Amino acid sequence: MLAKLGPLNPDDVADLRFFLEAVPDPRSRRGRWYSLASILLVCAAAAVSGARSIDELAEWGARADAGLLAALDVRRHLLHWRHAPSRSAIGRVLERLDADALDAAVGAWLAHRHTAAAPGRRRVIAVDGKALRGSARLSRPRRHLLSAVTHGRPVTLAQAEVGSKTNETRHFQPLLAPLDLDADVVTFDALHSVKANVAWLVETKKAHYVAVIKPNQPTAWAQLDGLDWHAVAIQHTASNKGHGRRESRSVKTLAIADNLGGIAFPHAKLALRVHRRRKATGRKETRETVYAVTSLDAHQAKPAELASHLRGHWIVEAQHHIRDRTFAEDASTVHAGNAPRVMAALRNLAIGALKALGATNIAKTTRAIRDQPERALPILGITYKPDLNGT
């Protein structure tokens, strides 16, 4: 699996350490032995190796030899041996860590990786939320995170914690505000199809959008449903088979700026109608019509490209699946302090770094790295030379 990742020269990858330096240390200066960067680097290397819990983060460090620990900036004891941070030391740091700062550092590093992997391309970014099911306790509801993830190779550019799923719309602007979105395309489902957020996205961030409209927005829905779609020919079709089902999609687009006038969704240029047919093995065929609007005009995006943006939005769900199945996020019972969100950031880092290198099966790749732990370091942009790192 590692042979498929492409070049693993650390000189071609930004050093994660430089980005982690922006994360403030929550500990008192007195009594520190391990630097914050060294603890976070151990955690990052363990996550890339498939670690799913704080215990497994510490176990990776315990298995690392002196050369690996030296490369990760773990200090040498006065007796000249190196020892990785304990489980309790890691746990205390993750609970108290500034999660906003860590997400910003991880997002900046992953954005750099994504740009290097696909230079010059217009980014398409999906915004969606995910609950951390195992983080709930009697006195506290489960944590809920909102993320901005690139289409194609999923890289998490930003992540924020929200109070509950119904509060996601309030965090849309704060989530995207730090990002440079000039000329990028942002996709989101009906929950975030709020006119104020969409106007801000176009006017302030100079970005484009593809917004799904559902019946719970009755005015916009009726407006789109009432267009003369019968007079428009199908402009793109696609079909695929897999996972026990057959699915086909047809797409129509219609210019709406003149048709809808002042009632139009902010800065909307095109309306989209996607008709889906799905046939699962042993079940009846289902049909669904989905409407969307976009600020892109017919000269900026073809129907096939718009259809790809809509379908690609669900890459967020694919990443959630990896976090749940490969990293056992839903089964995690980590709940104290900021640790649940920090663990989610480490999983985002691992998935984004491996996807940027071309990994197609994260589970197999992390198992391969687990057997060769030194391979985790160049993925993080860290040079590892056993003969020079010393014991």
Side-chain angles (χ1 to χ4, degrees), residues 264-284:
F265 215 67
H267 303 284
K269 299 291 181 60
L270 291 175
L272 291 79
R273 194 200 77 163
V274 181
H275 189 65
R276 298 173 179 162
R277 294 186 177 187
R278 180 177 296 176
K279 176 68 169 66
T281 303
R283 297 187 179 183
K284 293 182 178 181

Side-chain angles (χ1 to χ4, degrees), residues 27 31 33-35 38-40 42-43 46 53-63 69 74-75 81-95:
R27 301 169 297 172
W33 178 260
Y34 301 101
S35 68
S38 67
I39 294 176
L40 293 179
V42 168
C43 293
S53 65
I54 296 177
D55 286 331
E56 292 184 13
L57 298 179
E59 288 167 6
W60 187 94
R63 291 193 303 270
L69 295 178
V74 174
R75 288 175 59 189
W81 48 258
R82 298 181 197 273
H83 194 279
S86 66
R87 194 273 178 213
S88 59
I90 292 174
R92 287 194 299 270
V93 167
L94 300 194
E95 289 172 16

Side-chain angles (χ1 to χ4, degrees), residues 229 231-238 249-253 273 275 303:
W229 294 106
V232 181
I234 293 175
Q235 297 159 315
H236 173 71
T237 61
R249 298 171 299 282
S250 62
V251 179
K252 294 182 178 183
T253 65
R273 194 200 77 163
H275 189 65

Side-chain angles (χ1 to χ4, degrees), residues 127-169:
V127 175
D128 199 18
K130 184 183 188 301
L132 304 179
R133 300 182 187 280
S135 63
R137 287 297 178 271
L138 290 176
S139 59
R140 185 170 186 175
R142 64 189 181 189
R143 312 292 181 85
H144 196 90
L145 303 177
L146 184 65
S147 302
V149 183
T150 57
H151 287 212
R153 293 178 176 178
V155 168
T156 302
L157 302 177
Q159 179 175 264
E161 184 168 349
V162 301
S164 66
K165 194 170 181 63
T166 56
N167 290 332
E168 279 189 22
T169 54

Side-chain angles (χ1 to χ4, degrees), residues 251-264:
V251 179
K252 294 182 178 183
T253 65
L254 190 62
I256 61 174
D258 295 332
N259 294 12
L260 300 186
I263 308 175

